[in-house]
């Protein structure tokens, strides 16, 4: 079984952001502004997904 650090490194070789189970979001960019833009995008995507699931649960 691989540790969190190993899995994170393997993922970051292919992607610039991911959500780690029980470890939160990890985002990297060419600049700090680029990384923060990715964080903002991820937060919006997660918020939309949360509200979509919440609305489906109420039906």
């Amino acid at each position: 079984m691989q540790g969190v650090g190993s899995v994170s490194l393997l993922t970051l070789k292919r992607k610039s952001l991911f959500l780690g189970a029980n470890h939160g979001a990890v985002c990297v960019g060419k600049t700090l502004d680029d990384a923060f833009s990715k964080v903002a995008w991820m937060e919006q995507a997660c918020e939309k997904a949360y509200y979509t699931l919440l609305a489906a649960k109420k039906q």
Side-chain angles (χ1 to χ4, degrees):
M1 182 171 172
Q2 293 180 322
V4 174
S6 299
V7 173
S8 299
L9 184 59
L10 289 172
T11 302
L12 289 172
K13 285 183 178 181
R14 297 179 289 121
K15 304 289 180 182
S16 61
L17 55 95
F18 68 92
L19 285 175
N22 300 321
H23 296 285
V26 176
C27 297
V28 295
K30 291 181 181 180
T31 65
L32 190 56
D33 285 340
D34 184 35
F36 273 111
S37 293
K38 291 175 184 182
V39 169
W41 178 88
M42 183 183 286
E43 286 182 355
Q44 289 177 347
C46 289
E47 184 178 6
K48 288 177 185 177
Y50 172 75
Y51 286 122
T52 299
L53 291 172
L54 191 63
K57 191 175 184 180
K58 288 184 179 182
Q59 293 179 0

